[in-house]
Amino acid sequence: MAKQQGIGLALVAFALYIVGGVSTFGGLALIGLMRGKDLFGWGEASSIGMLFLAVGLCLSIMGVLFMRLFRNRGLV
């Protein structure tokens, strides 16, 4: 039972890592390519890009830490 739960948690951690990476590079693209343009009425694209960059880095770091934690605890 614990092995099944560990694999599920590892998949969630890997998904966090992937979503964080996509968000990070999407944020970089918004900062670099759409500077000074409005993004769907949400605000300037570079400021939204900075938000995506920061959140993406946090999610990637959290995903890596969770993967290491689950591996070291023997859940995967």
Side-chain angles (χ1 to χ4, degrees):
M1 179 68 180
K3 204 66 153 167
Q4 289 288 357
Q5 183 183 9
I7 294 206
L9 290 173
L11 288 176
V12 169
F14 190 64
L16 276 175
Y17 177 66
I18 295 297
V19 168
V22 169
S23 177
T24 299
F25 286 108
L28 286 174
L30 283 174
I31 292 169
L33 300 176
M34 297 189 62
R35 182 173 300 276
K37 296 182 183 173
D38 187 48
L39 187 68
F40 307 120
W42 294 347
E44 191 175 334
S46 63
S47 62
I48 304 281
M50 288 181 201
L51 175 69
F52 280 8
L53 178 69
V55 170
L57 287 174
C58 289
L59 286 177
S60 284
I61 291 169
M62 188 168 50
V64 167
L65 289 176
F66 282 165
M67 283 190 280
R68 295 300 303 163
L69 179 79
F70 298 145
R71 183 169 174 102
N72 287 338
R73 298 284 184 241
L75 293 175
V76 177

